Amino acid sequence: MSRTSYPRHKIRITLLENIHPAAREALTAAGYTVDVIPKALEGDELAAVLKDAHVVGLRSRTKLREAQLALAPRLMAIGCFSVGTDQVEIDAAARCGIPVFNAPYASTRSVAELTLGCVIALARRLGDKSGKLHQGQWDKSLSGAHEIRGRTIGLIGYGHIGQQVGLLAEACGMRVLFFDIQRKLPLGLAKPVPTVEQLFDEADFVSLHVPETAQTRGMVGAPQLARMKPGSYLLNLSRGSVVALDALRNALADGRLGGAALDVFPQEPTPVQAEWRSELAGLPNVILTPHVGGNTEEAQRNIGIEVATALIAFIDRGVTEGAVNFPQIHLPPRDGTHRLLDIHKNVPGVLASVTAIVSELGANIEAQQLGTTKDVGYLVMDIDRQLSDAVRDRIAALPSSIKTRLLY
């Protein structure tokens, strides 16, 4: 059943930062007006977009903080066409009644393949060999070059990406250890270790696959690097805040580590920043890539389709499955009704007030589902068509209501 409270072609969706065309195709096919801006925005340019957009899609460089969200009176939803949502202040978005959707698993394989590629490149010192050859130096020395077969890779974080890295590494003959704060079922021959310290002690390659949290920020510093085996390698393709780069530089410069590969950094360029520098630049056997772990055609297409599909489901049916900052609501539609969506402050008495309005107007609730988070509640209710407008107007006038929509 197809519903909307607003003509689809008048719903304006703006996609920034070269989001894969598959997203635009899906949203256009659903009947929405889609504007595509190939770059990241900030300042006045971003404010101009937010003033009129009903939905904004972005990748990683455009930042939506509380100040920017305050400039977006029409914004219904945000699509983060990425694995993470660090670029959006998701709690502030929730308080504004804006669900935030992402694609946490669509680029899993791409990141895992890049990780294994970096493992092989570090073991064979391919970055150094390639750089010298570009400079006209023919260096065939085998010093420091090794096979990865028989070596141990230690995975910190054993979620979807960590599991895929483990399977790929095992297929290459590596021994796989992992540490995760949650109990995880090992895949293949991977073995959990009880402490992260044991992983640092035993691994030839330590690969990080953790989210950015208060616990993971700076989790790899001088004490952890000092535990690593002489000549071992560190890989970070997770979040830039996880590794203390000064400590890593010291460990690399004095030869305690054999190399490192980083795809993420504590500070990454803004839309208007022309130059970027790292304290690790110029060190031997250090691979630096510009946050391209999920940058494959396959991953970006999957992300585009997944996030676009979630946005369509929310706009058309009020579905919030997959939203990172909202209650997870998926109420099957019912024929002969209109669907009311009420995003409200999570305070006592809201449902009682809604029920009183429905009873007073003599409307009939065919189905409803309510969920809450710390800041907001989200009520989806299918009611009689004849009285739906009156019910919506009364509920929208409640002091607790943030945004109220009716899907015809």
Side-chain angles (χ1 to χ4, degrees):
M1 179 167 53
S2 179
R3 303 173 172 194
T4 181
S5 58
Y6 197 61
R8 278 188 176 85
H9 70 279
K10 291 187 177 181
I11 294 178
R12 184 167 295 278
I13 299 176
T14 302
L15 302 180
L16 308 175
E17 302 184 60
N18 276 324
I19 289 169
H20 195 279
R24 177 186 55 78
E25 293 165 6
L27 294 165
T28 302
Y32 307 121
T33 297
V34 181
D35 299 319
V36 175
I37 299 175
K39 64 179 182 177
L41 299 181
E42 61 181 9
D44 292 341
E45 287 185 313
L46 180 58
V49 167
L50 294 175
K51 181 170 65 71
D52 297 322
H54 296 97
V55 176
V56 169
L58 47 92
R59 292 178 66 189
S60 61
R61 296 181 66 193
T62 301
K63 310 301 180 185
L64 293 181
R65 308 304 185 204
E66 190 166 11
Q68 287 77 43
L69 295 171
L71 304 174
R74 300 182 181 181
L75 200 59
M76 293 193 297
I78 296 169
C80 291
F81 288 77
S82 57
V83 172
T85 57
D86 301 341
Q87 62 273 48
V88 177
E89 194 170 341
I90 60 174
D91 289 341
R95 292 192 295 271
C96 294
I98 303 169
V100 178
F101 298 90
N102 68 331
Y105 311 124
S107 63
T108 294
R109 182 69 181 194
S110 294
V111 178
E113 288 186 1
L114 180 60
T115 302
L116 188 66
C118 287
V119 168
I120 296 172
L122 288 173
R124 299 296 297 274
R125 305 187 70 90
L126 296 184
D128 292 351
K129 301 293 185 187
S130 176
K132 288 182 178 180
L133 207 56
H134 276 285
Q135 296 169 13
Q137 301 177 46
W138 186 269
D139 179 9
K140 285 192 63 176
S141 64
L142 59 79
S143 176
H146 302 279
E147 293 183 353
I148 65 171
R149 180 177 53 177
R151 296 296 186 99
T152 297
I153 185 169
L155 308 171
I156 301 179
Y158 197 61
H160 288 75
I161 294 174
Q163 291 171 352
Q164 285 288 305
V165 173
L167 291 174
L168 292 173
E170 185 180 310
C172 292
M174 299 187 79
R175 172 179 175 240
V176 180
L177 303 178
F178 70 87
F179 173 82
D180 198 291
I181 59 173
Q182 297 180 348
R183 184 177 178 84
K184 295 291 180 68
L185 178 68
L187 300 185
L189 299 177
K191 294 182 179 179
V193 294
T195 66
V196 71
E197 288 79 14
Q198 181 177 338
L199 186 143
F200 278 111
D201 290 342
E202 295 189 26
D204 299 297
F205 296 83
V206 174
S207 189
L208 302 164
H209 302 284
V210 296
E212 181 179 18
T213 67
Q215 290 72 37
T216 63
R217 292 188 194 101
M219 69 177 293
V220 179
Q224 292 75 29
L225 296 170
R227 297 190 73 108
M228 293 178 64
K229 297 164 67 173
S232 59
Y233 309 89
L234 181 75
L235 298 93
N236 184 19
L237 289 87
S238 60
R239 289 291 179 263
S241 63
V242 173
V243 178
L245 294 190
D246 287 344
L248 178 57
R249 176 179 175 81
N250 292 337
L252 290 163
D254 66 17
R256 282 183 287 129
L257 295 188
L262 292 93
D263 186 50
V264 290
F265 304 89
Q267 286 83 39
E268 298 185 2
T270 66
V272 296
Q273 183 177 339
E275 294 186 1
W276 177 87
R277 299 186 185 280
S278 172
E279 48 267 74
L280 302 179
L283 291 175
N285 207 24
V286 173
I287 299 170
L288 305 177
T289 51
H291 206 150
V292 296
N295 277 16
T296 63
E297 286 289 335
E298 294 82 0
Q300 292 305 313
R301 177 176 178 80
N302 291 338
I303 289 171
I305 293 172
E306 182 174 336
V307 178
T309 300
L311 292 171
I312 292 168
F314 174 69
I315 298 169
D316 282 4
R317 304 191 306 279
V319 175
T320 52
E321 282 187 336
V324 298
N325 62 339
F326 251 59
Q328 303 294 291
I329 300 292
H330 188 175
L331 184 66
R334 297 174 68 92
D335 291 331
T337 65
H338 287 164
R339 172 160 291 185
L340 186 141
L341 314 175
D342 181 55
I343 304 167
H344 54 266
K345 300 172 186 175
N346 185 16
V347 295
V350 173
L351 189 58
S353 298
V354 169
T355 302
I357 290 171
V358 172
S359 176
E360 182 181 337
L361 292 174
N364 185 48
I365 300 175
E366 295 288 344
Q368 71 177 13
Q369 190 172 352
L370 170 67
T372 61
T373 63
K374 176 184 66 174
D375 294 319
V376 300
Y378 182 44
L379 174 65
V380 178
M381 185 167 60
D382 289 340
I383 56 178
D384 293 336
R385 289 181 174 182
Q386 294 84 353
L387 297 170
S388 60
D389 288 312
V391 172
R392 177 206 46 209
D393 293 344
R394 290 281 299 276
I395 292 177
L398 291 172
S400 57
S401 290
I402 299 172
K403 289 186 178 180
T404 306
R405 271 201 302 148
L406 190 63
L407 306 182
Y408 296 111

